Amino acid sequence: MENEQKGSTEEKLRLFEVRKADLLTMGGEKMVLKQHELTKLTARERVDLLFDADTFQEIQLFVKHRSTLFGLGEKEIPADGVITGFGLINGRTVFAAAQDFTSAGGSLGEMHAKKIWKVMDMALSARKPFVAMNDSGGARIQEGVPSLEGYGGIFYRNTIASGYIPQITAIMGPTAGGAVYSPALADWVFMVKKNSYMYITGPEVIKAVIGEEVSHEDLGGAVAHATKSGVCHFVTESDQDCLARIRTFLSFLPDSCHSPLPVAACTDSPGRECPELDTIIPDKTNRVYDMKKVIAAVADKGEIFEPHELWAKNIIVAFIRIMGRPVGVIANNPKFNAGILDVNASDKASRFIRFCDAFNIPLLTFSDVPGYMPGTRQEWSGIISHGAKLLHAYSEATVPKLTVVTRKAYGGAYLGMCSKQLGADYVMAWPTAEIAVMGAEGACNIVYRREISSADDPAARRAELACAYEGQFNNPYFAASLGVIEEIIRPRDTRKRVATLLETLQDKTEVRLLKKHNNIPL
Ligand code: HXC
């Protein structure tokens, strides 16, 4: 080191280039080759693909670990196994950290963590989104406690940043143990099929402790977390696919909760009619239809960006644009369990609503819901408190809230799908809407039980009474007469109405009681 400082300025500059180039080779050719053989990109290749060309500015490249334990004193770990910095994505500034598996398995030691702290702190100060690309063996085993402290500092920053700047994590390799909690604290988790997994304890420990045998993939792979646990919001095919989709996703999001929404150029018309919606509801009310077609019809150019596509499919959450402005859509999906609300659907929708509200993205709800899922499984899984999350999330949201009742809106679930009483600014119903306490047959079985059982022909009497009940309640007119809904609209006019209302409500501000924070039933 002393000799290095002795030469001419020219030599010092040359030496700087040599040292920098050395660090840029990461874990060396052999390790890079191994990474590529697994069809994984290196951290630097990932950064290059995530950011607009030549815009990434790396910070703290020369940071080194300072541990001497268990042979680490002699071990060089380039950039301490993580690349941090900022650059442009679609022309907008974003901060990022990419763990470099080729350098000590991307393991997280004290200095590695401090680099991530620094870039997260910068993202917070600059009020710009943060993207983490995880590919790591977890806590650097040789370093011990400082590694754990490192994770703690990341979790703390994830929490401080929550609702302030968008946080996205891409799982592009192993993520095990407590390391899974930074992704879980972020807003969105992308996972790459086959090459990524997340779990608290791996297959070996599971086998030893409870005797269960399971593979890495089945336990914590992208598909498992996208279909079973709901931890993963987006399953992607490859590193390239993952990074391209994060770029697209960021185009829907503002830089921070204090930033304006990004407005995309729009060639679609606000007055476009959607005649296909006039015929989408089947004549028989227990038949299914494709709610995604309804959402696509209303969206600019039919474009939908859908998180959680494979989990809790009875409810759809999606980002769309209307006249170029982002909108968060929540819709019951009649194709799965008749669009009923259960524990997972309530969790999925509630978190989505809170994200949109935190970042000022207006909410559009399509309601076609027969109720809350009955049964011991749901009751004992806590449908009461999970269902309450939905009521809480909608009620606390202060962004513009529009609701369209397409068909069923029954009972508590009617309230739960952004009814007027939960603060919807404008509720519309199609002429096919049924806004009632419950379905007609069920209602008659309760109210007219004695009368039906003592009738000469109970089935005929039940049908007769159900018909009268339907006439009174299973339509939008009774609700409209009470002002519980604002308007009955032709389905074809849905986009037109929604576009006008969103424009009208653009400056909505709602001030709530001064307090520390709500206590959502978690
Ligand atoms: C130090 C690590 C490491 C770690 C991997 N390496 N994980 N070094 N600490 N946690 C090093 C390896 O020694 C090796 O170094 C290089 O990275 C590549 O690792 P390989 O094992 O050769 O790679 P591969 O065969 O692909 O296996 C990947 C792996 C395995 C499955 C991730 O490395 C592994 O099991 N690692 C340990 C995982 C783990 O138990 N982590 C602790 C989790 S607990 P050389 O020098 O040989 O190239 C945790 C707690 C967090 O993280 C708590 C937060 C609150």
Side-chain angles (χ1 to χ4, degrees):
M1 185 69 82
E2 270 170 41
N3 287 344
E4 285 173 5
Q5 279 314 101
K6 272 189 182 154
S8 64
T9 298
E10 192 185 338
E11 274 166 24
K12 283 179 186 167
L13 290 183
R14 191 192 54 75
L15 186 66
F16 161 68
E17 295 300 343
V18 169
R19 294 185 68 162
K20 187 172 162 187
D22 194 37
L23 291 172
L24 295 182
T25 60
M26 301 171 285
E29 243 175 70
K30 222 172 97 190
M31 296 307 281
V32 169
L33 191 68
K34 193 176 160 195
Q35 182 89 344
H36 286 164
E37 276 168 2
L38 294 169
T39 69
K40 288 163 73 177
L41 296 176
T42 64
R44 292 191 182 281
E45 288 163 342
R46 287 169 179 162
V47 162
D48 285 346
L49 272 184
L50 179 66
F51 287 97
D52 299 347
D54 301 323
T55 64
F56 182 69
Q57 194 166 320
E58 186 164 351
I59 59 176
Q60 298 191 326
L61 170 67
F62 286 88
V63 162
K64 290 172 89 148
H65 73 81
R66 54 181 173 176
S67 178
T68 53
L69 299 171
F70 298 99
L72 271 188
E74 293 76 49
K75 196 169 169 75
E76 289 288 334
I77 305 177
D80 210 39
V82 62
I83 290 148
T84 54
F86 57 93
L88 301 180
I89 296 181
N90 308 314
R92 293 165 52 203
T93 301
V94 172
F95 288 76
Q99 289 179 313
D100 168 16
F101 195 83
T102 70
S103 302
S107 55
L108 185 142
E110 177 203 5
M111 301 309 280
H112 176 122
K114 283 185 172 161
K115 285 181 72 172
I116 298 177
W117 296 0
K118 171 66 189 173
V119 76
M120 291 181 83
D121 289 344
M122 280 186 79
L124 273 165
S125 306
R127 295 180 177 180
K128 303 289 183 217
F130 175 67
V131 178
M133 289 163 266
N134 286 17
D135 188 1
S136 165
R140 191 170 294 156
I141 294 163
Q142 301 92 319
E143 286 198 31
V145 173
S147 305
L148 299 182
E149 272 198 294
Y151 276 116
I154 294 171
F155 301 161
Y156 179 77
R157 284 164 177 78
N158 285 133
T159 308
I160 298 300
S162 178
Y164 193 72
I165 52 170
Q167 298 181 79
I168 294 172
T169 302
I171 309 293
M172 310 182 94
T175 305
V180 296
Y181 284 117
S182 175
L185 287 164
D187 298 305
W188 304 102
V189 175
F190 287 67
M191 290 184 78
V192 181
K193 260 190 193 165
K194 295 197 180 88
N195 277 338
S196 73
Y197 53 85
M198 295 171 82
Y199 41 67
I200 296 282
T201 45
E204 294 79 14
V205 178
I206 291 179
K207 189 169 178 205
V209 177
I210 57 171
E212 203 175 80
E213 284 194 46
V214 64
S215 69
H216 288 276
E217 183 73 13
D218 287 348
L219 177 64
V223 174
H225 281 310
T227 57
K228 291 182 161 68
S229 72
V231 166
C232 168
H233 299 95
F234 299 95
V235 178
T236 63
E237 298 299 323
S238 61
D239 283 16
Q240 289 84 343
D241 180 38
C242 178
L243 298 166
R245 288 179 67 191
I246 291 175
R247 284 176 59 88
T248 305
F249 186 32
L250 282 164
S251 72
F252 284 91
L253 309 182
D255 291 344
S256 77
C257 64
H258 296 299
S259 312
L261 290 179
V263 183
C266 176
T267 49
D268 206 343
S269 152
R272 174 170 58 76
E273 290 194 357
C274 316
E276 68 274 30
L277 297 185
D278 282 350
T279 52
I280 201 162
I281 302 289
D283 289 341
K284 289 211 160 83
T285 63
N286 55 358
R287 291 273 157 85
V288 302
Y289 62 97
D290 191 348
M291 185 60 100
K292 286 191 194 169
K293 283 193 178 152
V294 177
I295 301 170
V298 170
D300 286 356
K301 295 186 145 189
E303 280 166 8
I304 300 179
F305 199 85
E306 186 184 353
H308 266 159
E309 199 178 342
L310 305 172
W311 185 65
K313 290 186 189 175
N314 38 333
I315 203 156
I316 302 163
V317 297
F319 293 95
I320 62 168
R321 289 190 182 89
I322 293 185
M323 295 318 294
R325 295 174 65 81
V327 176
V329 177
I330 304 97
N332 307 110
N333 188 354
K335 275 190 169 178
F336 294 92
N337 281 335
I340 209 158
L341 290 176
D342 57 10
V343 165
N344 289 348
S346 302
D347 283 5
K348 171 173 164 178
S350 307
R351 186 146 169 86
F352 180 78
I353 292 162
R354 298 191 94 217
F355 176 84
C356 290
D357 186 50
F359 292 102
N360 305 308
I361 299 171
L363 296 171
L364 170 62
T365 301
F366 289 101
S367 173
D368 183 356
V369 64
Y372 286 95
M373 180 77 116
T376 49
R377 229 165 113 180
Q378 285 292 310
E379 291 292 352
W380 297 341
S381 302
I383 182 68
I384 295 173
S385 42
H386 290 271
K389 287 182 203 179
L390 195 57
L391 302 172
H392 192 116
Y394 268 129
S395 300
E396 80 174 340
T398 56
V399 287
K401 296 185 281 195
L402 305 179
T403 303
V404 180
V405 182
T406 59
R407 192 166 60 176
K408 293 172 191 156
Y410 291 168
Y414 145 71
L415 289 173
M417 291 303 292
C418 203
S419 59
K420 187 162 172 155
Q421 294 69 25
L422 300 193
D425 295 287
Y426 204 86
V427 181
M428 293 158 272
W430 290 359
T432 45
E434 302 169 10
I435 304 173
V437 172
M438 64 198 300
E441 204 164 311
C444 292
N445 279 340
I446 296 167
V447 180
Y448 301 115
R449 187 185 310 152
R450 253 182 246 115
E451 189 176 334
I452 290 171
S453 62
S454 61
D456 292 340
D457 183 346
R461 185 64 190 137
R462 183 186 295 112
E464 207 174 272
L465 289 165
C467 193
Y469 187 89
E470 269 170 21
Q472 176 64 32
F473 295 120
N474 283 19
N475 60 63
Y477 299 103
F478 185 54
S481 74
L482 298 173
V484 170
I485 58 173
E486 271 64 46
E487 204 188 348
I488 302 170
I489 61 169
R490 296 188 304 177
R492 64 168 60 217
D493 292 331
T494 308
R495 172 175 161 91
K496 223 160 45 173
R497 279 289 186 285
V498 168
T500 309
L501 286 161
L502 287 175
E503 174 87 27
T504 308
L505 290 165
Q506 239 184 84
D507 295 330
K508 177 185 176 189
T509 36
E510 214 170 276
V511 179
R512 292 292 164 85
L513 297 174
L514 192 61
K515 58 183 153 182
K516 204 166 169 202
H517 56 70
N518 283 7
N519 185 16
I520 188 164
L522 295 173

